[in-house]
Amino acid sequence: MTVQSLPEARDLSHHLNDLARNRFPSPLKDIFRQMQRPGIISMAGGLPHPSLFPFVDASVSVYPPNGDLSGPIPPVSDRMTLNFQKYPSSKGTVDLSTILQYGSCEGLFPLREWVRKYTLDVYQPAYSNFEILLHEGNTSAWTKVVRLLCEPGDMILCEEFTFPSAMAVWVPLGCKAVPIKLDGQGMRADHLEKVLANWETSHPGLKRPHVMYVVPVGSNPTGSTMQAERRKAIYEICARYDIIIAEDDPYTTLQFPEFDLSAPAAEVVHQSGEDFAKSLVPSFLHYDRDGRVIRLESFSKVISPGARLGYFVCNPLFAERLLRATEVESQTPSGWSQGIIYSLLEAWGQAGYLSWLSRLRDVYQSRRDGLCAAIAQSFTALPARDYAAGVEGAEGIALYHAGTDPKSIKPDQRPVATFVPPTGGMFLWLSFSLSLAPRFRELVAQGVEDPEKQFMDEFWQALAENLVLLTPGSYYVPWEGKDKITTGARGAAREIGYLRFAFSYEDPDVMAEGIKRMQQVVSKMFD
Amino acid sequence: MTVQSLPEARDLSHHLNDLARNRFPSPLKDIFRQMQRPGIISMAGGLPHPSLFPFVDASVSVYPPNGDLSGPIPPVSDRMTLNFQKYPSSKGTVDLSTILQYGSCEGLFPLREWVRKYTLDVYQPAYSNFEILLHEGNTSAWTKVVRLLCEPGDMILCEEFTFPSAMAVWVPLGCKAVPIKLDGQGMRADHLEKVLANWETSHPGLKRPHVMYVVPVGSNPTGSTMQAERRKAIYEICARYDIIIAEDDPYTTLQFPEFDLSAPAAEVVHQSGEDFAKSLVPSFLHYDRDGRVIRLESFSKVISPGARLGYFVCNPLFAERLLRATEVESQTPSGWSQGIIYSLLEAWGQAGYLSWLSRLRDVYQSRRDGLCAAIAQSFTALPARDYAAGVEGAEGIALYHAGTDPKSIKPDQRPVATFVPPTGGMFLWLSFSLSLAPRFRELVAQGVEDPEKQFMDEFWQALAENLVLLTPGSYYVPWEGKDKITTGARGAAREIGYLRFAFSYEDPDVMAEGIKRMQQVVSKMFD
């Protein structure tokens, strides 16, 4: 199937907000067209002359795409070198006089072309005229999407636990979350359908949501990954209810097979770059016949966050409005970042990049395995299906206090905690059965307003005092307005508290020590 | 005088808009505090491990600060080299594992400290507790200021001709410009005072402006620079009427002495870095006892635009709210840009940077001189004071058709064009006497709605057809709303049209050829 045989995106202009509609067309178009004329002398653009940039040349030495990421830094002979000259030394090279000058607000042309081919080959979008626009990382990209689509007071569909910085963009606009319940694959299609089908009766007078924010791979904080069938189902619902899907996918290539509790130390199975690409869960783009998906992809997690570089894939109308905003609000991502990452990708080639991504995935998978194993070993861990009446929605792995004999566990015995081993990303989400904690029961007996929140604050503090630092689950609770702050008022599951564990940064043995410290606090605070 | 002896900024919190007020305090503060504790194991932050960045080391070779900017690229032996290692090789070095990681949203600490000292030494602010915050260039910075201070529908004070991208940020919010009349030094204090003093009667029911946008050095498009006395006067008016001044100052160190028409080929007098710093017109910061100035400074024009890097200097309250926005909307400028520019500044030292800036100024001054001389030589040029009744507000240099004998010019004879030679920046602003153009008189006789605009469009087109590309003056007309679009409706001076010439990019002999082409079109279209 060629891209030409695919349909074009539908007209989705009715989703634009007033801000996006009211942007000027760029007055510079006439000038840009004239600048192409041979022999023209342009005193129109205020560009500094590149001879006045103090940079003469640059070189960056990098890992080969198939380098060993768990070993020492490769010796000089095994590295590749990216070289930059002040002026173009041959056609097609990226030189400093270009990348350090004002540039096209769509981003460096050859990098966009590189990414376009990668998008076609790896994601296989379902419509033909998608556009690529570079951006300064997914934080900035999501902000641009909010300013493209959301009006003050809009309701935004999101996962029941979602990324707080994403919320922090729209909360001051008076927007509110519509949290959709989760399972081990992330957002549940049945709950989404129910919320939308009953919208008019459950939210009388309120505009139905038209924007969804979702992190479908390695969801932050839950670590879940949405599989193909679920995506199809969610897409069809969004098509039916005319919803734009913002697919925030920075962890897209950090997808892991399920963790096997019976073989926690199993070797990671490496895949070739080609097999790796085939193994990836399809992006929402792959189902997007309408052009209603705005894909936010980033180099932060797979190359480096400090580059502040990523790209949009979206329909041409949204791309044009995003570009108008970008021209006047930020211009371009850093030329250093664009030039260096383009040169790296070009030096590696697409096959090399996929090989790099596959090896990188291996490292994160082995970190995921290490953290899951450390948790399982510090407690008595059983597959969650082995206990009958657990925490609401519990699946995955159930944890009992260390030393508990599995045979002594009664079918209805509540575990101290449960978790679904992450199938993507950098995070593990642990839920605790608070009714097993005497202090929690005391808070409930005292009738405090939000015992879940108060107990988890104390628990977090006790963990910090024992020198293990985790992220409180409360950070990830979607903002539904001032009247829906407490666990009870939100209608959230009671007697459960959450913590997020990142397995991306600390060394595996340090993580194991951290888990031991956590277990000691748990053993003191829970029955 | 030490900084400690200065007053602190006043409380200006009443200037914040709803968006800025409603931003969350960052929930991560507790976590950051705990991360400092010795022995803590943090699984809180989702940072990738720097061993997983593909970059091993980098080096960038640069000009020495006192290099000859008009000559060829310095030989290797004369260059300086900036080196970056993956991991810190010694205390205080900037390594790739730091700059390519997620970083503080305030910007790279040592770069902020470097800039703080530079700000203190060169600008000598009038209050003690100013803050430095890095940003992604002045385009992004001004957008952040608009989102900090402006409500939809606000009226914004600006120069009578102003930078269109700055307007394009607030126009879609329904904000409107309040243009202040200009003279050869930019914004006129007397007109500002008049507009504010008469606000309630001239704009009944409309909120008085509380934000001013100004480019005080090398104003874009007019090329004017506001001298010290004028700044003091404008600042006092702003203090009296409680106005926040956004000082957009990317051309701050490109300040030139007046162009001497009687010695157009005079050598540029070079100053040492120290003398150069002393010669600069003070920033508004120097008068800012209240903390009502938000200074936007950029490395775009003096190092390279593609770095997308600059910094705010402002009061601590505004800095804190800008930081809250930055955390969730963009995070940090590119680590490559921050690291490379910091290393460059550190390698040069402050004295070296000032020396670089002084040499850079020389190059732009000689380009300014070249353009002014080329214009003067293509016409008959006289100091504007030598003709009695000219174009309204004309000063500087009056141009008559080539070959006109100066002695034949009558005291009341209108020149075909006038300009004030730029005293800063990259642009020259030429105003044409349209009543001398038969086609313009024809348009007036036909009663077309905006003859000035229509004639200038045709004139611009004729210039482009003769292969010289300039920027139409209409781009710089402040937006006052849909009912004030035509020259007449805006109450702007009649029978005048403008073009902007950039002298930053084309080679001087190419610019001279461009001016010759322009002169040929003028000679055909004007009596």
Side-chain angles (χ1 to χ4, degrees):
Chain A
M1 191 172 64
T2 65
V3 68
Q4 286 77 15
S5 69
L6 295 169
E8 293 206 339
R10 288 178 54 191
D11 177 3
L12 295 166
S13 55
H14 54 283
H15 285 279
L16 298 174
N17 64 14
D18 272 354
L19 181 68
R21 277 174 219 276
N22 289 335
R23 290 195 188 281
F24 280 9
S26 173
L28 298 174
K29 272 189 195 156
D30 287 344
I31 288 190
F32 286 136
R33 205 177 46 238
Q34 291 284 357
M35 278 173 88
Q36 312 305 322
R37 290 178 62 184
I40 196 122
I41 294 175
S42 173
M43 288 179 277
L47 305 181
H49 197 275
S51 67
L52 305 175
F53 304 158
F55 306 106
V56 179
D57 57 38
S59 73
V60 181
S61 89
V62 298
Y63 280 62
N66 53 1
D68 177 6
L69 272 167
S70 54
I73 292 174
V76 174
S77 57
D78 285 356
R79 294 181 211 158
M80 300 171 78
T81 303
L82 317 175
N83 286 310
F84 303 86
Q85 304 297 321
K86 192 172 186 88
Y87 296 110
S89 53
S90 63
K91 206 167 140 29
T93 58
V94 174
D95 52 89
L96 297 180
S97 67
T98 303
I99 64 178
L100 298 183
Q101 186 56 276
Y102 287 108
S104 157
C105 295
E106 293 159 306
L108 194 66
F109 181 75
L111 177 53
R112 286 174 63 224
E113 289 302 298
W114 202 100
V115 161
R116 182 188 305 278
K117 178 163 177 4
Y118 178 85
T119 301
L120 263 175
D121 293 348
V122 176
Y123 302 128
Q124 304 174 1
Y127 69 105
S128 60
N129 58 339
F130 65 88
E131 281 288 343
I132 306 283
L133 211 59
L134 299 186
H135 60 61
E136 301 86 354
N138 282 11
T139 300
S140 168
W142 168 241
T143 302
K144 291 179 186 189
V145 170
V146 169
R147 274 192 254 127
L148 180 78
L149 302 175
C150 300
E151 296 289 1
D154 269 3
M155 310 282 283
I156 295 172
L157 295 161
C158 62
E159 292 151 292
E160 192 182 356
F161 298 105
T162 190
F163 181 43
S165 292
M167 285 191 277
V169 174
W170 46 256
V171 169
L173 292 173
C175 295
K176 290 179 187 172
V178 183
I180 304 299
K181 286 194 192 301
L182 302 175
D183 63 15
Q185 278 197 36
M187 196 179 268
R188 275 168 42 193
D190 62 326
H191 189 239
L192 176 64
E193 171 73 45
K194 194 174 142 191
V195 166
L196 292 167
N198 298 333
W199 185 264
E200 279 71 26
T201 48
S202 61
H203 297 78
L206 283 180
K207 199 176 85 179
R208 204 170 61 201
H210 71 120
V211 175
M212 172 186 288
Y213 173 79
V214 62
V215 182
V217 175
S219 180
N220 184 353
T222 69
S224 65
T225 296
M226 196 184 279
Q227 301 301 316
E229 284 306 310
R230 177 71 58 86
R231 286 178 191 248
K232 252 194 257 186
I234 299 252
Y235 184 83
E236 290 306 326
I237 297 168
C238 289
R240 199 141 26 86
Y241 289 95
D242 193 18
I243 286 159
I244 304 299
I245 302 172
E247 178 179 44
D248 183 6
D249 214 359
Y251 311 104
T252 188
T253 56
L254 305 179
Q255 297 178 12
F256 319 129
E258 301 216 343
F259 173 74
D260 184 354
L261 182 59
S262 65
E267 281 279 301
V268 170
V269 180
H270 179 67
Q271 290 176 300
S272 73
E274 207 177 329
D275 290 345
F276 168 78
K278 282 185 199 143
S279 77
L280 296 173
V281 176
S283 156
F284 272 110
L285 282 182
H286 187 57
Y287 308 108
D288 185 21
R289 58 181 183 272
D290 296 342
R292 63 175 64 257
V293 173
I294 305 181
R295 184 173 166 77
L296 317 182
E297 186 153 338
S298 169
F299 293 111
S300 287
K301 303 302 193 286
V302 295
I303 292 184
S304 74
R308 308 311 307 134
L309 191 68
Y311 55 93
F312 290 109
V313 188
C314 67
N315 73 53
L317 171 81
F318 289 179
E320 189 270 344
R321 291 284 96 184
L322 287 168
L323 178 60
R324 288 291 89 78
T326 298
E327 283 167 355
V328 299
E329 296 192 348
S330 64
Q331 298 200 12
T332 60
S334 158
W336 284 110
S337 297
Q338 294 191 82
I340 289 170
I341 287 192
Y342 168 66
S343 294
L344 176 68
L345 293 175
E346 188 62 25
W348 280 352
Q350 185 171 299
Y353 183 48
L354 287 168
S355 170
W356 168 263
L357 294 172
S358 179
R359 280 171 203 280
L360 192 74
R361 189 266 305 270
D362 295 349
V363 176
Y364 281 103
Q365 185 183 331
S366 94
R367 286 176 160 270
R368 186 273 316 251
D369 292 349
L371 178 62
C372 290
I375 294 174
Q377 281 152 21
S378 296
F379 293 85
T380 291
L382 294 176
R385 63 178 174 275
D386 290 357
Y387 78 97
V391 176
E392 190 198 349
E395 48 186 318
I397 295 174
L399 302 176
Y400 297 85
H401 281 299
T404 310
D405 179 356
K407 290 182 203 113
S408 76
I409 297 171
K410 299 185 197 95
D412 63 348
Q413 187 175 333
R414 191 168 277 260
V416 69
T418 64
F419 71 103
V420 180
T423 47
M426 302 183 162
F427 306 112
L428 182 147
W429 186 237
L430 200 56
S431 77
F432 292 87
S433 307
L434 304 191
S435 59
L436 299 183
R439 171 65 181 152
F440 176 76
R441 298 194 298 265
E442 185 180 287
L443 291 167
V444 172
Q446 287 169 1
V448 303
E449 200 190 0
D450 193 350
E452 285 83 2
K453 173 76 168 61
Q454 186 163 335
F455 174 80
M456 288 306 292
D457 286 352
E458 293 178 16
F459 182 30
W460 184 83
Q461 203 64 49
L463 289 163
E465 272 157 32
N466 282 273
L467 295 173
V468 55
L469 198 59
L470 301 165
T471 317
S474 59
Y475 287 10
Y476 306 93
V477 170
W479 172 257
E480 298 180 75
K482 283 182 189 158
D483 53 334
K484 290 193 177 178
I485 288 181
T486 64
T487 306
R490 289 188 286 113
R494 306 304 299 259
E495 305 188 352
I496 303 179
Y498 301 89
L499 291 173
R500 192 194 75 170
F501 296 65
F503 53 85
S504 54
Y505 189 81
E506 292 283 15
D507 285 342
D509 55 333
V510 177
M511 284 199 282
E513 168 62 23
I515 294 303
K516 217 157 79 188
R517 293 180 189 173
M518 190 257 309
Q519 183 274 329
Q520 284 158 359
V521 176
V522 169
S523 75
K524 277 186 208 143
M525 289 183 73
F526 291 74
D527 285 336
Chain B
M1 191 173 64
T2 66
V3 67
Q4 286 76 17
S5 69
L6 295 168
E8 293 207 338
R10 288 179 53 189
D11 177 5
L12 295 167
S13 55
H14 55 284
H15 284 280
L16 297 175
N17 65 14
D18 273 354
L19 181 68
R21 275 174 220 277
N22 288 335
R23 290 194 188 280
F24 280 9
S26 173
L28 298 173
K29 270 188 197 156
D30 287 344
I31 289 190
F32 286 135
R33 206 178 45 238
Q34 292 284 356
M35 280 174 88
Q36 312 306 322
R37 289 178 62 185
I40 197 124
I41 293 175
S42 172
M43 288 178 278
L47 304 180
H49 198 274
S51 67
L52 305 175
F53 304 157
F55 306 105
V56 180
D57 56 40
S59 72
V60 181
S61 89
V62 299
Y63 280 62
N66 53 0
D68 177 5
L69 272 167
S70 53
I73 292 175
V76 175
S77 57
D78 283 357
R79 295 181 210 157
M80 300 171 79
T81 305
L82 315 175
N83 285 311
F84 302 87
Q85 304 297 323
K86 192 172 186 92
Y87 296 110
S89 53
S90 64
K91 205 168 141 29
T93 58
V94 174
D95 52 88
L96 297 180
S97 67
T98 303
I99 63 178
L100 298 182
Q101 186 56 277
Y102 287 109
S104 157
C105 295
E106 292 159 308
L108 193 67
F109 181 75
L111 177 54
R112 286 173 63 224
E113 289 303 297
W114 201 99
V115 162
R116 184 187 304 278
K117 177 161 177 7
Y118 179 84
T119 301
L120 263 174
D121 292 350
V122 176
Y123 302 128
Q124 304 174 0
Y127 69 106
S128 59
N129 58 340
F130 65 88
E131 281 288 344
I132 306 283
L133 212 60
L134 300 185
H135 61 60
E136 302 87 354
N138 282 11
T139 300
S140 169
W142 168 241
T143 303
K144 291 179 185 188
V145 170
V146 169
R147 274 193 255 126
L148 179 79
L149 301 175
C150 299
E151 296 289 0
D154 269 2
M155 310 281 283
I156 296 172
L157 295 161
C158 62
E159 292 150 291
E160 191 182 356
F161 298 105
T162 190
F163 182 43
S165 292
M167 284 191 279
V169 174
W170 47 256
V171 169
L173 293 173
C175 294
K176 291 178 187 173
V178 182
I180 303 299
K181 286 194 191 304
L182 302 175
D183 63 15
Q185 279 196 35
M187 196 180 267
R188 274 168 43 193
D190 62 324
H191 188 240
L192 175 65
E193 171 74 46
K194 192 174 145 192
V195 165
L196 292 167
N198 298 333
W199 186 263
E200 279 70 27
T201 47
S202 61
H203 298 77
L206 285 180
K207 199 176 84 179
R208 204 170 60 199
H210 72 121
V211 175
M212 173 187 286
Y213 173 79
V214 62
V215 182
V217 174
S219 181
N220 184 352
T222 69
S224 65
T225 296
M226 197 185 277
Q227 301 301 315
E229 284 306 310
R230 176 71 59 85
R231 286 177 190 248
K232 252 194 259 188
I234 299 253
Y235 184 83
E236 290 305 326
I237 296 167
C238 290
R240 200 139 26 85
Y241 289 95
D242 192 18
I243 287 160
I244 304 298
I245 303 172
E247 179 179 44
D248 183 6
D249 213 0
Y251 311 104
T252 188
T253 54
L254 304 179
Q255 296 179 13
F256 319 129
E258 302 215 342
F259 173 75
D260 184 354
L261 181 59
S262 65
E267 281 279 300
V268 170
V269 180
H270 178 67
Q271 289 176 301
S272 73
E274 207 177 330
D275 289 346
F276 168 78
K278 282 185 200 143
S279 77
L280 296 173
V281 176
S283 156
F284 272 110
L285 282 182
H286 187 58
Y287 307 107
D288 185 21
R289 58 180 183 272
D290 294 342
R292 64 175 63 256
V293 173
I294 305 181
R295 184 173 165 78
L296 317 182
E297 186 153 339
S298 170
F299 294 111
S300 287
K301 304 302 193 287
V302 295
I303 292 184
S304 75
R308 308 310 307 133
L309 192 67
Y311 56 92
F312 290 108
V313 187
C314 67
N315 73 53
L317 171 80
F318 288 179
E320 189 271 344
R321 292 284 96 185
L322 288 167
L323 178 60
R324 289 290 89 80
T326 298
E327 283 167 353
V328 299
E329 297 192 349
S330 63
Q331 298 200 13
T332 60
S334 158
W336 284 111
S337 297
Q338 294 190 83
I340 289 170
I341 287 190
Y342 168 66
S343 294
L344 176 69
L345 294 175
E346 189 61 23
W348 279 353
Q350 184 171 300
Y353 183 48
L354 287 168
S355 171
W356 168 263
L357 294 171
S358 179
R359 280 171 203 280
L360 191 74
R361 189 266 305 269
D362 295 350
V363 176
Y364 282 102
Q365 185 182 332
S366 94
R367 286 174 160 272
R368 187 272 317 249
D369 291 350
L371 177 62
C372 291
I375 294 173
Q377 281 153 20
S378 296
F379 293 84
T380 293
L382 296 176
R385 63 177 173 276
D386 289 356
Y387 76 97
V391 177
E392 191 198 349
E395 47 187 319
I397 295 174
L399 302 176
Y400 297 85
H401 283 300
T404 310
D405 178 359
K407 288 183 207 114
S408 76
I409 297 170
K410 298 184 199 96
D412 63 347
Q413 186 174 333
R414 191 168 278 261
V416 68
T418 63
F419 71 104
V420 179
T423 47
M426 302 184 162
F427 307 112
L428 182 146
W429 186 236
L430 199 58
S431 77
F432 292 87
S433 308
L434 305 191
S435 59
L436 299 183
R439 171 65 182 154
F440 176 76
R441 296 193 299 264
E442 184 181 289
L443 290 166
V444 171
Q446 287 169 2
V448 304
E449 198 190 3
D450 193 350
E452 286 83 1
K453 173 76 168 62
Q454 186 163 335
F455 175 80
M456 287 306 291
D457 287 351
E458 293 178 17
F459 182 30
W460 184 85
Q461 203 63 50
L463 289 164
E465 272 156 33
N466 282 272
L467 295 174
V468 56
L469 198 59
L470 301 165
T471 318
S474 59
Y475 287 10
Y476 306 93
V477 169
W479 172 256
E480 297 179 75
K482 285 183 185 154
D483 54 333
K484 290 193 176 178
I485 288 181
T486 64
T487 307
R490 289 188 286 113
R494 308 303 301 258
E495 305 189 349
I496 303 179
Y498 301 89
L499 292 172
R500 192 194 76 170
F501 295 65
F503 53 84
S504 53
Y505 189 81
E506 293 282 16
D507 285 342
D509 54 333
V510 177
M511 285 199 280
E513 169 62 23
I515 294 304
K516 217 157 79 188
R517 294 180 188 173
M518 190 261 303
Q519 183 273 329
Q520 285 159 358
V521 176
V522 170
S523 75
K524 276 185 209 144
M525 290 183 72
F526 291 75
D527 286 336

